[in-house]
Amino acid sequence: MKIAVIGTGYVGLVTGTCFSDMGNDVWCVDVDASKIQNLKEGIIPIYEPGLESMVKNNYELGHLRFTTDIAEALEHASICFIAVGTPMGEDGSADLHYVLEVAGQIGAAMKRHMYVIDKELDNRASDLTFDVISNPEFLKEGTAVGDCMRPDRIVIGADNDEAFSVMEQLYKPYILNTENFIRMDIASAEMTKYTANAMLATKISFMNEISNICEKVGADVNKVRRGIGSDKRIGYSFIYAGCGYGGSCFPKDVQALIRTSEQYGHTPHILEAVETVNANQKLVIPRKIIERFGKDLTGFNFAVWGLAFKPDTDDMRQAASITIIKELTERGATVTAYDPKAVKEAQTCYLKDNDKVTYVTSKYTALNDADAMILVTEWKEFRSPDMDEIKKRLKNPIIFDGRNQYSAKELKKLGFEYYQIGVGKPQ
């Protein structure tokens, strides 16, 4: 099949590359000429495990092409995916102006019946026909290639059988069980996407709320998690207490669903609470540090392990590290930060104006002369560090663990002060 994918961000680049890997001819389009040139040279704009080699291979085979010209892509394609960003607007609603702009360009450039996969399309005055199809993505950063190649379900929103058939043919190589190809109307498909992310965000905020109660009553949220996760109705996914969720999807989609509800006169109380709990959770680690060191942190230096909002990505959108570092440095502290992939993002985008942050290329180097270490992102290389080395490099053997990765019992034996999320002192 011949496919155009408009937008080469996380979703567009992964989707287009995975389609090409199945032998389809794919044209990836972006307005950023430098990004397109870099892609042709094998330079990938994002970090996503497995993506770089797949892009290079399919580009060399000729299945994957990159261009800034939508008309060039639509000269060949009959299926067009709109994969441009829908950033959060000032009021929290999804900003669709990029989508609508691309839809207008497609309408002006199309030369045959087109299957347009996204939300809306404005067609030029002509007798050409088109189908609008909703195909929400459920890719997880860090595992996006695997999610795309082995999806657990494909959700399609359309209004006619021919559109469903085209999409089923496109996705047939990816799904062995046809029951996982789910047909519905367009509005329900869009709602499915928002609801899925809102539900997962709710589980995280719920468990973080429980963690705060655990600290008050002297319980251990890690034990509570094991106790409730063994219930098959609940399960273990997304019930790990931590210092708050981030990324491009959960915050944006929860906000968008709240604003949509309000536009229709409904107050989504649970979703509002999810958002409030998450915002407060990002302040838990700074509060623990203030309780330990005082409100004025002038003269203190803290080592931060992890900047990305989750492991296996360089994405820092809405990351907890931003809030934590901002709170500490505003109180006079300095920070020495290390992340395996997200340092450039921090330096150039999210913490670029904060001159109290120093970046290093080794997790142990970050500890030198620091008053305490803060674990923010649970990268694999942080799971089993040399605790003797940590103790040797820190001024004080103090760890604030935002992901509850380590054993309190073992650290106590080694002489550490260890602060977790959701673990209170016995009453």
Side-chain angles (χ1 to χ4, degrees):
M1 304 180 81
K2 299 186 185 301
I3 304 163
V5 179
I6 315 301
T8 59
Y10 275 97
V11 175
L13 186 57
V14 172
T15 300
T17 302
C18 289
F19 280 142
S20 71
D21 204 56
M22 286 294 183
N24 297 294
D25 291 323
V26 178
W27 286 259
C28 284
V29 183
D30 201 287
V31 295
D32 188 336
S34 62
K35 181 190 284 190
I36 290 298
Q37 184 58 41
N38 283 340
L39 285 167
K40 289 179 178 179
E41 295 173 5
I43 302 171
I44 309 301
I46 58 175
Y47 174 73
E48 185 63 40
L51 182 61
E52 183 175 357
S53 59
M54 190 180 286
V55 169
K56 290 180 179 178
N57 183 57
N58 284 286
Y59 180 72
E60 290 173 0
L61 290 174
H63 296 309
L64 184 61
R65 302 167 177 85
F66 300 105
T67 180
T68 58
D69 188 355
I70 286 182
E72 176 189 339
L74 298 188
E75 178 77 26
H76 309 278
S78 58
I79 298 174
C80 183
F81 282 81
I82 300 179
V84 295
T86 53
M88 191 186 301
E90 291 184 3
D91 64 350
S93 60
D95 183 349
L96 300 179
H97 85 271
Y98 294 117
V99 174
L100 297 176
E101 182 179 331
V102 168
Q105 292 171 0
I106 293 170
M110 57 188 279
K111 296 185 176 181
R112 63 179 64 80
H113 182 89
M114 187 69 62
Y115 295 95
V116 181
I117 294 84
D118 204 279
K119 298 178 187 292
E120 300 181 45
L121 173 68
D122 293 326
N123 192 28
R124 68 179 188 263
S126 76
D127 57 0
L128 292 174
T129 58
F130 61 90
D131 283 296
V132 176
I133 301 170
S134 175
N135 176 206
E137 53 84 18
F138 301 99
L139 306 179
K140 301 183 292 294
E141 291 183 35
T143 61
V145 172
D147 293 340
C148 194
M149 298 299 285
R150 297 176 296 278
D152 54 9
R153 80 283 202 196
I154 299 295
V155 174
I156 300 297
D159 57 13
N160 65 78
D161 288 338
E162 184 178 353
F164 283 121
S165 295
V166 168
M167 297 304 289
E168 191 166 5
Q169 180 183 354
L170 176 62
Y171 279 111
K172 188 176 181 180
Y174 301 90
I175 50 173
L176 299 176
N177 188 348
T178 56
E179 291 182 358
N180 293 337
F181 186 87
I182 305 171
R183 302 182 179 203
M184 59 183 71
D185 60 274
I186 293 174
S188 296
E190 293 300 323
M191 193 65 177
T192 297
K193 165 64 174 175
Y194 286 111
T195 303
N197 282 340
M199 182 64 194
L200 297 176
T202 299
K203 291 185 72 175
I204 295 171
S205 280
F206 174 80
M207 208 61 194
N208 282 333
E209 187 74 278
I210 294 300
S211 77
N212 295 325
I213 299 172
C214 284
E215 290 193 13
K216 298 293 186 183
V217 304
D220 185 336
V221 74
N222 301 298
K223 296 174 181 177
V224 174
R225 172 180 54 79
R226 291 194 294 271
I228 67 169
S230 59
D231 187 328
K232 293 180 180 179
R233 297 170 300 174
I234 299 173
Y236 289 105
S237 297
F238 291 88
I239 62 168
Y240 287 79
C243 51
Y245 63 76
S248 63
C249 292
F250 287 8
K252 178 169 65 70
D253 287 357
V254 170
Q255 275 269 9
L257 203 47
I258 289 172
R259 297 296 170 257
T260 299
S261 300
E262 292 173 343
Q263 289 170 10
Y264 285 85
H266 175 72
T267 301
H269 297 291
I270 291 177
L271 296 179
E272 289 179 339
V274 167
E275 189 177 54
T276 299
V277 168
N278 190 59
N280 289 335
Q281 198 67 19
K282 293 178 181 180
L283 296 170
V284 167
I285 291 294
R287 282 199 292 266
K288 290 178 182 293
I289 291 172
I290 290 165
E291 288 174 6
R292 173 61 178 80
F293 291 98
K295 293 181 179 180
D296 184 358
L297 297 176
T298 302
F300 289 99
N301 175 258
F302 297 96
V304 170
W305 280 12
L307 295 166
F309 87 93
K310 64 180 288 190
D312 293 320
T313 180
D314 59 355
D315 195 346
M316 281 189 63
R317 286 174 286 184
Q318 304 290 323
S321 64
I322 300 171
T323 301
I324 292 169
I325 291 172
K326 179 175 180 288
E327 288 294 316
L328 298 181
T329 55
E330 285 184 350
R331 291 180 178 273
T334 57
V335 168
T336 305
Y338 168 73
D339 187 283
K341 296 294 179 183
V343 166
K344 183 179 178 181
E345 286 294 299
Q347 289 175 314
T348 58
C349 299
Y350 296 98
L351 296 167
K352 66 178 181 178
D353 297 322
N354 194 330
D355 59 5
K356 293 183 179 180
V357 184
T358 301
Y359 302 94
V360 294
T361 58
S362 160
K363 62 180 181 287
Y364 292 122
T365 303
L367 303 172
N368 292 340
D369 295 322
D371 292 280
M373 186 265 274
I374 308 166
L375 176 70
V376 180
T377 312
E378 61 276 34
W379 285 91
K380 288 180 181 178
E381 71 171 272
F382 301 154
R383 291 182 185 176
S384 299
D386 185 334
M387 289 300 176
D388 290 330
E389 187 70 19
I390 292 176
K391 188 175 182 180
K392 182 175 72 175
R393 289 176 180 257
L394 288 173
K395 284 184 183 178
N396 310 295
I398 303 173
I399 295 176
F400 294 89
D401 188 347
R403 300 299 174 185
N404 290 359
Q405 279 209 151
Y406 305 128
S407 166
K409 185 177 180 180
E410 292 300 318
L411 288 182
K412 185 177 181 181
K413 286 181 181 178
L414 294 171
F416 279 89
E417 284 183 48
Y418 181 50
Y419 298 88
Q420 297 183 73
I421 303 289
V423 180
K425 297 179 180 178
Q427 301 298 305

